[in-house]
Amino acid sequence: MIKEGVQGAAAVAEEDPQAQSKKAQKKQQKEAEKAAKKAEKQAKLAGDQKTEEEDDFAKDRYGVAAMVQSQEKMDRSLVLVKDLSPARADELIWLRARVHTSRAKGKQCFLVLRQQQFNVQALVAVGDRASKQMVKFAANISKESIVDVEASVRKVDQKIESCSQQDVELHIERIFVISQAEARLPLQLEDAVRPEGEGDEEGRATVNQDTRLDNRVIDLRTTTSQAIFRLQSGVCQLFRDTLNKKGFVEIQTPKIISAASEGGANVFTVSYFKTSAYLAQSPQLYKQMCICADFDKVFCVGPVFRAEDSNTHRHLTEFVGLDIEMAFNYHYHEVIDSITDTMVQIFKGLRDNFQTEIQTVNKQFPSEPFKFLEPTLRLEYKEGLAMLREAGVEMGDEEDLSTPNEKLLGRLVKEKYDTDFYVLDKYPLAVRPFYTMPDPNDPKNSNSYDMFMRGEEILSGAQRIHDAQLLTERAMYHQIDLEKIKAYIDSFRFGAPPHGGGGIGLERVCMLYLGLHNVRQTSMFPRDPKRLTP
Amino acid sequence: MALRELASLEKYLGLKKPNKYSSRGDKKIPVLQNNNGPPLVGLVTIARHLVKEAKQPELLGEAAEDRAVVHQWLEYRVSKLDGCNKEESRTILKDLDLYLQDKVCMAGNHFTLADVLMYNGIHPLIMDLTFQEKERYMNVTRWFDHIQHRAGIRHHLPPVVVLRNRIYSAKHP
């Protein structure tokens, strides 16, 4: 090897002696010598390593495990990180977790092992269980790799502040890599959970939202994301539980529909064989048809599509709608009461069962606890307008609330009534869809309502027109093609009970409950006019 | 603008006979043709003259120290406030807010010409503020509300609604 190098260089020099000056020749020779020295060193190192490997008494205690292809059914129970407590002290356990961070320090290597939102400190130290090589291997495992670890649980004297399991640490006896992560991560988890503003002060990096969303899989591993989506699951569950108790029936409705329910402006058109169809912007028509079919009280959890080209903090083009529709006896306030009670049950359920999650999110995004009244505050649109006018806002009687006014009203209501959740009733008829029932006392008003959380709309609902004649009139007034909604109008011809309902955006509820600032934070894979992936 | 301001100042001071003004240059600097002497030029100069004319010297400050402070704010009005852009206006409001923290009027406890001119100058800035910003510059808003409700001050300028309760908490702006 060494000889070859020198000869090679010499050969080149001989071949073209005139072209190269003496200086260049000298230089080349020097380089050749250098290369030779390097090769020698490497050979020596390899030799050393070999002897080291031979010396390694712990070599079957660590390594990269074979790919799990379900070769064997191992009789090994894996303990969950969240269950690690002083009660299990001195037990020898197996667990599977991700390497969150690792830090080698001489003969020791500290690892933080993470499982979902829980983590624990682990330690590999040179001793009779682990060799020098094993510590080195542990230190070199890339972040986010998944490892199987056998370790004994030890109590610690001083609480480990940086981990969720503060009272114990793990002394690793075996460590195997189950899935290796690439060494370079597109974003660092610590950067992604840093509270807003704190990064700027300490000169540390924060991850902006687009980078997060581009690498959503990694971003979803952060404690904050884990908490948000566990809470979101809780909202759905509480919604279902509460309504089931009230005697509601869960229904599934088609999302490919032949006509838009609220005028064709903001729906997606899809090609449907030889014709075109639309993506449902709400299950409106179908839940009403179920009412006409004697289901009495129905709800539906499913995707809803809006083709609005708005890039705001609270608009998505696809979101999850929680829709309610119910028949009532004499007054549509029965419906409002039923919906507000459902919301209150959800808020209570979250407050009582998801405190850890709420606090985890609060660490990164501080906000005041969500406040609500029981029974829920109900204001009429007129009263809302009066409050705004008193604050100096100029608005027409039949004008819809603009977003800034909506937020301001939320603030005024919070100041006056100390609640983050309220209902605004009796909207002007002009700003509501055609199937909204007009107010019998004032033809300019309607029996419709919006619900607000922290001053932002989460639900829009109304008493619907259950009379085919009036419905046709209103549709014509709104210049809707009667042919296209024939099936809908026809369903009211054969006896339809008075009914009302509303639709809630799941993402918005989660965002506003937690006091977050962007609906993309509460959508797992958000869709907006500019984002279709991941 | 400045001419209208001087006209309303005249009314406030109770001067019976309105003066005739002209304006000069790109910046429309007001000029008052004085009957017994050379013409007076500039908003502050004319305003001080009017105050003397109306025999209300207390509006320029009673103690020597007050007079200096009044003069300082009159200068501030024409040099800093007039023609400031949006970014500068926020700095001005922030500074003023701090200054007014422990004061009722611009020159401490007594209403002076500085309050009148500062009110006129800051009016367009305040009109532009959102409720949240008005709350952020709470001391300015308080002073402004106080001045705009003083008899005879507001004249042609539209009133600005000021909430008495805080609706945005201090903790999470």
Side-chain angles (χ1 to χ4, degrees):
Chain A
M1 182 74 193
I2 301 160
K3 256 188 181 169
E4 258 174 33
V6 178
Q7 270 175 356
V12 173
E14 268 168 16
E15 258 173 35
D16 202 355
Q18 262 120 28
Q20 286 178 317
S21 66
K22 246 186 185 171
K23 212 175 175 184
Q25 229 171 20
K26 227 178 187 172
K27 197 175 169 193
Q28 214 164 36
Q29 209 170 350
K30 236 182 192 169
E31 259 168 32
E33 269 170 35
K34 226 182 194 172
K37 261 187 192 159
K38 206 173 166 189
E40 201 177 0
K41 215 175 181 179
Q42 253 168 9
K44 202 182 159 204
L45 212 75
D48 279 358
Q49 235 162 26
K50 223 175 191 179
T51 50
E52 253 181 52
E53 264 164 39
E54 276 161 14
D55 287 349
D56 188 1
F57 62 88
K59 67 171 175 261
D60 48 357
R61 291 179 163 270
Y62 65 93
V64 176
M67 187 193 294
V68 177
Q69 274 187 303
S70 310
Q71 298 93 328
E72 49 181 336
K73 292 186 185 172
M74 212 160 338
D75 188 24
R76 179 191 288 168
S77 63
L78 296 172
V79 176
L80 297 177
V81 168
K82 69 170 174 189
D83 294 336
L84 294 173
S85 66
R88 305 193 75 119
D90 301 320
E91 270 181 57
L92 195 61
I93 53 136
W94 276 94
L95 66 83
R96 177 169 297 178
R98 278 186 195 277
V99 174
H100 186 60
T101 57
S102 69
R103 175 166 58 90
K105 212 169 129 191
K107 290 184 170 181
Q108 289 181 321
C109 174
F110 286 95
L111 301 166
V112 174
L113 298 179
R114 191 187 78 236
Q115 193 173 61
Q116 295 159 353
Q117 68 269 48
F118 307 102
N119 48 21
V120 64
Q121 175 168 287
L123 167 70
V124 196
V126 176
D128 49 349
R129 303 281 188 186
S131 61
K132 229 162 111 186
Q133 291 84 350
M134 180 167 161
V135 173
K136 203 168 161 196
F137 173 82
N140 283 334
I141 300 174
S142 53
K143 273 189 192 179
E144 294 301 297
S145 294
I146 299 174
V147 292
D148 270 8
V149 160
E150 188 188 34
S152 60
V153 184
R154 297 280 167 81
K155 265 197 243 181
V156 288
D157 303 331
Q158 233 180 3
K159 280 191 184 244
I160 303 161
E161 298 291 343
S162 57
C163 291
S164 66
Q165 312 312 113
Q166 303 195 327
D167 302 314
V168 291
E169 65 175 9
L170 299 175
H171 288 217
I172 294 179
E173 306 212 337
R174 292 169 207 267
I175 182 164
F176 296 99
V177 176
I178 298 297
S179 173
Q180 194 135 27
E182 274 184 27
R184 276 175 68 95
L185 293 167
L187 59 96
Q188 299 297 321
L189 266 73
E190 299 92 86
D191 297 342
V193 295
R194 193 157 288 139
E196 287 168 321
E198 199 167 281
D200 309 338
E201 283 165 28
E202 293 167 24
R204 289 199 181 141
T206 46
V207 187
N208 72 26
Q209 182 140 319
D210 270 330
T211 314
R212 280 163 196 269
L213 295 180
D214 288 340
N215 302 287
R216 194 60 162 151
V217 174
I218 296 181
D219 181 47
L220 287 174
R221 291 178 191 168
T222 60
T223 47
T224 308
S225 299
Q226 289 283 326
I228 289 174
F229 292 103
R230 271 155 220 279
L231 182 121
Q232 188 169 82
S233 159
V235 173
C236 282
Q237 192 207 333
L238 289 161
F239 181 74
R240 284 201 169 92
D241 287 353
T242 314
L243 291 176
N244 280 331
K245 263 184 230 153
K246 289 177 188 283
F248 277 75
V249 181
E250 177 160 7
I251 57 165
Q252 301 298 337
T253 63
K255 305 302 169 204
I256 305 175
I257 56 172
S258 63
S261 60
E262 307 181 20
N266 50 1
V267 287
F268 287 107
T269 315
V270 290
S271 79
Y272 195 72
F273 304 109
K274 278 177 185 154
T275 144
S276 58
Y278 305 102
L279 292 181
Q281 68 197 140
S282 86
Q284 187 60 40
L285 310 188
Y286 293 92
K287 57 185 192 179
Q288 281 191 262
M289 286 196 234
C290 287
I291 298 295
C292 296
D294 284 350
F295 279 93
D296 207 29
K297 294 171 173 180
V298 296
F299 73 94
C300 169
V301 179
V304 174
F305 303 90
R306 297 281 157 93
E308 288 167 65
D309 194 6
S310 41
N311 293 287
T312 71
H313 76 284
R314 59 172 190 176
H315 282 95
L316 292 171
T317 50
E318 176 181 348
F319 61 91
V320 178
L322 308 174
D323 275 88
I324 300 179
E325 199 71 29
M326 66 179 272
F328 63 82
N329 299 332
Y330 298 105
H331 200 289
Y332 75 101
H333 280 179
E334 293 165 36
V335 181
I336 295 189
D337 292 343
S338 191
I339 298 177
T340 52
D341 181 61
T342 307
M343 294 307 295
V344 166
Q345 293 309 322
I346 293 175
F347 300 149
K348 279 186 176 171
L350 292 177
R351 184 191 62 196
D352 298 342
N353 305 325
F354 289 84
Q355 212 39 249
T356 338
E357 280 79 5
I358 293 169
Q359 270 157 20
T360 308
V361 177
N362 265 336
K363 259 186 224 159
Q364 189 176 358
F365 303 104
S367 75
E368 293 168 64
F370 190 82
K371 285 194 171 166
F372 53 92
L373 298 175
E374 224 175 341
T376 303
L377 172 68
R378 194 175 62 228
L379 291 175
E380 290 209 356
Y381 197 77
K382 272 186 284 184
E383 297 174 74
L385 277 188
M387 284 173 80
L388 281 172
R389 283 182 183 148
E390 206 177 311
V393 175
E394 284 163 34
M395 258 183 82
D397 276 340
E398 286 185 74
E399 207 178 310
D400 205 357
L401 281 180
S402 67
T403 311
N405 286 345
E406 199 176 290
K407 284 191 179 170
L408 177 60
L409 182 58
R411 286 291 179 172
L412 295 170
V413 169
K414 170 95 190 236
E415 213 284 320
K416 192 164 174 185
Y417 300 97
D418 197 28
T419 175
D420 285 309
F421 179 61
Y422 72 99
V423 183
L424 202 55
D425 195 11
K426 295 278 177 206
Y427 267 67
L429 187 61
V431 302
R432 306 299 275 199
F434 74 97
Y435 47 74
T436 309
M437 181 67 87
D439 182 354
N441 303 319
D442 180 356
K444 283 191 168 174
N445 276 353
S446 63
N447 291 349
S448 62
Y449 42 86
D450 274 7
M451 294 184 190
F452 295 88
M453 283 172 70
R454 297 197 204 251
E456 293 194 50
E457 183 234 303
I458 51 142
L459 173 141
S460 231
Q463 178 185 351
R464 329 290 188 187
I465 299 171
H466 59 281
D467 178 84
Q469 185 59 41
L470 181 58
L471 190 58
T472 316
E473 270 172 37
R474 293 296 305 162
M476 270 160 54
Y477 180 81
H478 280 259
Q479 295 174 334
I480 292 166
D481 184 0
L482 289 177
E483 263 319 295
K484 281 192 172 167
I485 53 165
K486 191 169 178 299
Y488 172 63
I489 294 180
D490 282 348
S491 40
F492 299 101
R493 291 189 197 283
F494 313 105
H499 62 283
I504 309 165
L506 172 65
E507 287 85 351
R508 275 197 195 177
V509 171
C510 296
M511 162 177 85
L512 295 167
Y513 185 82
L514 291 168
L516 299 174
H517 304 303
N518 197 309
V519 72
R520 288 161 190 80
Q521 290 172 306
T522 53
S523 173
M524 209 167 239
F525 298 102
R527 289 286 174 269
D528 63 36
K530 289 180 181 155
R531 182 172 290 278
L532 258 177
T533 51
Chain B
M1 202 59 217
L3 301 189
R4 229 171 151 187
E5 194 180 335
L6 286 169
S8 72
L9 179 64
E10 279 179 7
K11 275 192 200 129
Y12 171 72
L13 292 170
L15 292 169
K16 294 271 154 48
K17 210 177 88 210
N19 289 304
K20 279 233 164 183
Y21 301 100
S22 55
S23 52
R24 182 192 287 177
D26 295 343
K27 290 187 176 169
K28 302 243 162 125
I29 293 168
V31 180
L32 172 62
Q33 199 60 54
N34 205 348
N35 291 333
N36 37 11
L40 293 172
V41 183
L43 180 68
V44 171
T45 316
I46 300 174
R48 294 168 74 98
H49 167 75
L50 293 178
V51 168
K52 277 176 197 151
E53 199 95 310
K55 302 210 166 51
Q56 297 183 33
E58 70 277 9
L59 283 180
L60 295 174
E62 306 216 49
E65 202 175 21
D66 287 348
R67 281 202 292 278
V69 173
V70 170
H71 187 72
Q72 182 193 319
W73 284 113
L74 294 177
E75 282 299 317
Y76 187 90
R77 156 71 205 273
V78 283
S79 61
K80 286 259 191 177
L81 207 52
D82 286 354
C84 68
N85 61 35
K86 188 151 178 139
E87 213 170 292
E88 288 164 352
S89 75
R90 294 300 182 266
T91 326
I92 289 177
L93 287 169
K94 214 172 132 194
D95 292 347
L96 268 182
D97 194 59
L98 210 64
Y99 175 76
L100 286 167
Q101 212 169 27
D102 54 356
K103 286 173 193 68
V104 181
C105 294
M106 292 310 297
N109 291 328
H110 301 289
F111 180 81
T112 61
L113 184 63
D115 292 295
V116 187
L117 260 60
M118 283 298 283
Y119 161 78
N120 280 306
I122 220 162
H123 191 277
L125 263 60
I126 299 277
M127 288 285 279
D128 269 355
L129 295 187
T130 63
F131 279 93
Q132 194 164 0
E133 286 170 314
K134 280 188 219 167
E135 196 168 300
R136 189 178 310 149
Y137 309 117
M138 203 164 41
N139 300 313
V140 176
T141 318
R142 166 184 43 74
W143 162 81
F144 185 88
D145 199 32
H146 170 66
I147 302 299
Q148 74 171 351
H149 282 101
R150 241 186 120 91
I153 291 286
R154 200 164 52 72
H155 274 291
H156 61 285
L157 294 173
V160 174
V161 177
V162 171
L163 296 182
R164 306 225 164 171
N165 296 338
R166 304 190 64 177
I167 58 171
Y168 298 91
S169 74
K171 235 164 78 191
H172 306 290

